[in-house]
């Protein structure tokens, strides 16, 4: 025969632990009626949503949840997911993840903004994602993945005079993800603090004694820093190369740019770099840092 116990407070006769014996179940009839520290605990602690329009996360999406997952994409337009204001009810116990369920097209992007419309994260490719929590009235990124990649090749043959160090001329895209390339000025525009990986492969019209190396410049527009240049040149420099360039750089400022450069280490001859999809080419990829 079932019985009912009417109490307002449960306490222990001794010790500090109240135990539900093995084989027994503590059943809570109403959803959200069990609370921890004043926060309701409900079944289905992960809330998964899919958005096809811009969306602002509200308290009802996160209250009594431990994880909110929103999938969206920028395949037809730029898509914006806006985070709730700091201190919104439910944030204290809920992680938030936003993931791209399809790749962006054209110049579109999937972006996450805070309640003041400040960009927190931007993604492009399918499965790019960010996971955040609010702590101390600020957003903290727990994990993230964003695909930002540019691969191009020299459009037309380019000659560099004796001992010259020249920026690579106009190039043609092979793969472009992230809308980073400034075609007018032949340079990569860096969108945020990051690690930048650069790989430049070169090929010259001279089958022997090519005297060709590659380098790169990175920095603020108008005052770029030469990150690498083969500085020693001579009339016998033709015996050098071709030498590609590969390195990783820490870039701390959004809006800085990166440019591929070509170096002729022979002081008395012009060297011509081959163009075309399988000849002189470069790739740059960006890994965001927070």
């Amino acid at each position: 025969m079932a019985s009912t116990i009417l109490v307002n407070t449960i306490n222990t006769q001794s010790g500090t632990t109240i135990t539900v014996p093995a084989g027994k179940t503590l059943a809570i009839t109403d959803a959200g009626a069990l609370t921890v520290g004043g926060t309701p605990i409900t079944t289905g602690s992960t809330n998964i949503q899919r958005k096809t329009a811009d969306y602002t996360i509200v308290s009802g999406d996160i209250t009594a949840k431990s994880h909110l997952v929103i999938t969206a994409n920028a395949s037809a337009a730029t898509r914006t997911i806006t985070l709730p204001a700091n201190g919104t009810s439910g944030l204290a116990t809920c992680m938030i993840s936003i993931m791209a369920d399809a790749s962006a097209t054209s110049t579109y992007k999937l972006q996450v903004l805070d309640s003041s419309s400040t960009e927190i994260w931007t993604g492009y490719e399918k499965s790019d994602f960010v996971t955040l929590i609010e702590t101390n009235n600020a957003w903290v990124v727990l994990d993230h993945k964003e695909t930002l990649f540019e691969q191009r090749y020299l459009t037309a043959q380019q000659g560099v005079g004796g001992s010259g160090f020249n920026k690579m001329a106009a190039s043609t895209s092979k793969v472009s993800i992230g809308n980073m390339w400034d075609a007018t000025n032949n340079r990569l525009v860096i969108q945020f603090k990051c690690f930048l990986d650069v790989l430049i492969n070169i090929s010259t019209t001279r089958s022997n004694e090519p005297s060709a190396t590659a380098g790169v410049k990175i920095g603020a527009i108008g005052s770029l820093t030469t990150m690498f240049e083969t500085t020693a040149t001579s009339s016998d420099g033709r015996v050098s190369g071709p030498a590609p360039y590969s390195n990783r750089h820490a870039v701390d400022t959004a809006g800085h740019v990166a440019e591929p450069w070509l170096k002729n280490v022979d002081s008395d001859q012009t060297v011509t770099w081959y163009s075309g999809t399988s000849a002189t080419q470069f790739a740059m990829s960006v890994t965001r840092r927070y």
Side-chain angles (χ1 to χ4, degrees):
M1 177 178 174
S3 60
T4 301
I5 301 175
L6 301 176
V7 297
N8 291 322
T9 302
I10 299 177
N11 207 338
T12 57
Q13 185 174 5
S14 63
T16 58
T17 301
I18 297 175
T19 302
V20 177
K24 304 298 181 180
T25 299
L26 178 65
I28 308 298
T29 302
D30 294 334
L34 177 64
T35 65
V36 176
T39 299
I41 304 300
T42 64
T43 59
S45 59
T46 299
N47 181 9
I48 300 175
Q49 302 182 16
R50 185 175 189 275
K51 302 300 180 184
T52 57
D54 294 348
Y55 184 72
T56 298
I57 297 170
V58 297
S59 177
D61 298 322
I62 54 179
T63 297
K65 301 297 179 182
S66 60
H67 198 178
L68 169 66
V69 179
I70 293 179
T71 63
N73 66 70
S75 61
T78 290
R79 184 68 54 235
T80 299
I81 305 298
T82 302
L83 299 168
N86 296 133
T88 296
S89 177
L91 269 184
T93 56
C94 187
M95 295 188 299
I96 297 175
S97 295
I98 293 91
M99 188 192 76
D101 57 13
S103 295
T105 59
S106 184
T107 59
Y108 305 141
K109 57 191 175 183
L110 173 61
Q111 57 183 356
V112 176
L113 308 180
D114 67 13
S115 58
S116 300
S117 298
T118 299
E119 188 266 357
I120 300 295
W121 175 85
T122 300
Y124 296 90
E125 283 277 274
K126 182 178 180 179
S127 295
D128 283 357
F129 74 93
V130 64
T131 298
L132 314 100
I133 60 169
E134 185 218 30
T135 180
N136 197 27
N137 290 319
W139 289 104
V140 174
V141 173
L142 296 181
D143 198 5
H144 64 103
K145 171 184 172 290
E146 49 283 320
T147 307
L148 294 143
F149 180 76
E150 190 72 32
Q151 185 178 26
R152 306 181 72 87
Y153 62 88
L154 190 63
T155 304
Q157 290 186 4
Q158 180 178 353
V160 177
S163 301
F165 187 47
N166 295 0
K167 183 168 74 169
M168 190 181 292
S171 59
T172 302
S173 175
K174 296 184 75 171
V175 179
S176 184
I177 304 171
N179 306 319
M180 298 183 291
W181 191 252
D182 176 359
T184 300
N185 297 290
N186 300 318
R187 61 196 181 195
L188 189 88
V189 180
I190 296 161
Q191 302 172 18
F192 28 62
K193 182 178 178 181
C194 70
F195 290 118
L196 173 67
D197 292 289
V198 181
L199 174 62
I200 306 172
N201 291 317
I202 56 178
S203 177
T204 69
T205 58
R206 194 180 297 169
S207 60
N208 65 335
E209 301 181 345
S211 64
T213 66
V216 67
K217 290 189 177 187
I218 301 173
I221 295 173
S223 58
L224 274 71
T225 299
T226 299
M227 308 307 293
F228 179 80
E229 174 190 359
T230 302
T231 54
T233 64
S234 74
S235 58
D236 288 329
R238 62 187 181 277
V239 300
S240 301
Y245 178 79
S246 177
N247 208 343
R248 166 170 276 203
H249 300 275
V251 182
D252 294 330
T253 306
H256 279 197
V257 298
E259 300 175 346
W261 282 61
L262 305 174
K263 177 73 176 190
N264 177 2
V265 295
D266 195 304
S267 62
D268 58 6
Q269 299 184 59
T270 294
V271 173
T272 300
W273 275 257
Y274 264 127
S275 59
T277 183
S278 60
T280 302
Q281 58 185 270
F282 64 90
M284 298 184 183
S285 61
V286 167
T287 302
R288 187 167 189 170
R289 297 156 56 209
Y290 282 93

